[in-house]
Amino acid sequence: MSKITLELGSGGRMMRDFLADTILPLLGNRYLEDLPDAGRLPGGIIFTTDGYVVDPPFFPGGDIGTLCVNGTVNDLVVSGASPRFLSLSLILEEGLAVEDLHRILKSIGQASRKAGVTVVTGDTKVVRKGQGDKIFIVTSGIGTSIARPAPSRIRKGDKIILTGTLGEHSLAVMTARGEFGLSARVRSDCAPLVFLLPFWKKGVLWMRDVTRGGLATILSELAGTLPYPVLIREDRIPLSRAVRGASELLGIDPLFMACEGRAVVVAPEKKAEGMLEQIRRHPLGKKAAIIGEIGHPAEGRPGELLLETSTGGLRLLEPLTSELLPRIC
């Protein structure tokens, strides 16, 4: 590879390969070994960072301000940390309307209060017109550790819980762009996942927020670390009518669509039903469902992610290998 391509930002296999082949040989250390979403530092400190380039910056159900707070908060939550502090770096393009910036900053304040985090430092840069695209934001987050994800303790029979419907964020951004002549009454699912924090103490084994690459990519990466196959069932995966219709119309697989307020959780077999019931009591978890399990299919091999289709067949799922929707977050 001699030049950076758009696909490297997909969150899929190409990005993982890029990190392993290009970043780690130069910057690798014990904190980066597993390419975590957040680094575990001495003293129980969990540290994460993320860049936000969503296009357009305003979309149904949110904007780049709500996204930059919730995205960073959620990386901490699924890493077993209680979010505490954020940094905020604004990269502004010359010509951005002050009214738009004020609206975004207002969203950042509201999202921070809702998630229980405080912005404690930041930076502002302005680039010439044409050298950016209105506004980019980089946030870093610090949290305190309350648990450590334990994929090594995942066993056959453990259950996979999805906390809500897939794909609304992707569809909301697509409609805001006016792509494909698409029109749908859908709002982004962008939201903080702090309501999941108590489940770490109740025995949850592993969590990830369903962002770039979608559910299939995230579970493929998990399956690759396990000595068992992983099975999910198509007819149990919750989808809104809007996402189902748009997916069928455009030929986009919702299993690869990004969310910004959903998580996939691995729960011990004996506790899964009870945890599902508790998740459903929260407004953000009403549509939660057990969508699969670890190690069930006799046909599967260790490390494989399989989809049992609604017609009863089995389909091998692999990580996303191209850029489905660039600049989705």
Side-chain angles (χ1 to χ4, degrees):
M1 182 178 66
S2 60
K3 293 188 178 181
I4 299 300
T5 62
L6 201 57
E7 288 78 10
L8 290 181
S10 67
R13 175 173 288 166
M14 288 189 69
M15 182 177 221
R16 298 287 292 191
D17 291 345
F18 171 73
L19 295 175
D21 297 340
T22 305
I23 303 293
L24 289 184
L26 297 173
L27 300 178
N29 58 59
R30 65 189 177 94
Y31 296 106
L32 290 175
E33 278 180 1
D34 298 324
L35 294 175
D37 279 343
R40 305 186 76 85
L41 306 182
I45 296 172
I46 311 296
F47 180 54
T48 190
T49 191
D50 217 334
Y52 296 88
V53 297
V54 64
D55 173 36
F58 300 96
F59 47 84
D63 56 41
I64 194 171
T66 54
L67 191 60
C68 75
V69 173
N70 292 333
T72 301
V73 163
N74 292 345
D75 280 346
L76 290 170
V77 170
V78 299
S79 299
S82 178
R84 299 287 305 279
F85 304 109
L86 294 182
S87 74
L88 181 68
S89 179
L90 303 172
I91 302 169
L92 311 176
E93 183 187 27
E94 180 186 25
L96 175 71
V98 172
E99 182 181 354
D100 287 346
L101 178 60
H102 184 266
R103 183 176 163 191
I104 290 167
L105 293 173
K106 188 175 179 182
S107 293
I108 290 171
Q110 291 173 340
S112 297
R113 288 189 290 276
K114 189 173 182 179
V117 294
T118 305
V119 177
V120 295
T121 187
D123 182 52
T124 302
K125 296 287 192 304
V126 179
V127 298
R128 289 179 177 171
K129 191 171 183 61
Q131 295 181 344
D133 190 2
K134 302 179 186 68
I135 180 170
F136 296 151
I137 299 178
V138 177
T139 48
S140 297
I142 288 178
T144 52
S145 177
I146 60 171
R148 181 183 286 268
S152 63
R153 291 198 289 116
I154 294 175
R155 298 289 181 266
K156 272 187 177 181
D158 290 340
K159 304 298 183 185
I160 300 168
I161 300 173
L162 180 62
T163 63
T165 50
L166 289 180
E168 276 97 342
H169 177 70
S170 288
L171 186 56
V173 174
M174 288 167 63
T175 56
R177 289 178 186 171
E179 289 182 335
F180 312 112
L182 199 60
S183 175
R185 290 184 180 179
V186 64
R187 295 170 61 83
S188 169
D189 51 67
C190 185
L193 293 169
V194 289
F195 76 101
L196 294 176
L197 282 172
F199 292 93
W200 284 116
K201 297 292 186 184
K202 296 176 180 178
V204 157
L205 300 168
W206 179 89
M207 290 186 198
R208 278 286 298 276
D209 48 337
V210 184
T211 55
R212 287 177 302 164
L215 180 70
T217 297
I218 289 165
L219 285 180
S220 290
E221 291 175 0
L222 173 65
T225 68
L226 300 177
Y228 318 105
V230 174
L231 176 76
I232 55 176
R233 295 184 172 87
E234 187 173 33
D235 59 1
R236 296 190 184 178
I237 296 172
L239 294 177
S240 68
R241 181 180 298 179
V243 169
R244 190 182 299 277
S247 300
E248 291 174 355
L249 182 66
L250 301 174
I252 297 175
D253 191 335
L255 296 179
F256 294 94
M257 293 174 74
C259 308
E260 289 295 339
R262 310 290 189 227
V264 59
V265 174
V266 177
E269 181 178 10
K270 292 182 179 178
K271 296 182 177 181
E273 288 290 347
M275 287 185 178
L276 175 64
E277 186 178 331
Q278 293 172 55
I279 290 172
R280 282 178 170 170
R281 289 176 192 158
H282 193 277
L284 293 176
K286 285 183 177 177
K287 301 288 186 181
I290 293 176
I291 62 167
E293 59 195 81
I294 307 294
H296 175 70
E299 296 87 347
R301 294 182 295 184
E304 286 184 341
L305 173 64
L306 298 171
L307 175 73
E308 184 180 278
T309 66
S310 53
T311 58
L314 285 178
R315 172 186 161 200
L316 178 66
L317 295 174
E318 296 186 321
L320 189 66
T321 55
S322 61
E323 180 58 281
L324 186 65
L325 296 167
R327 295 184 60 185
I328 202 74
C329 60

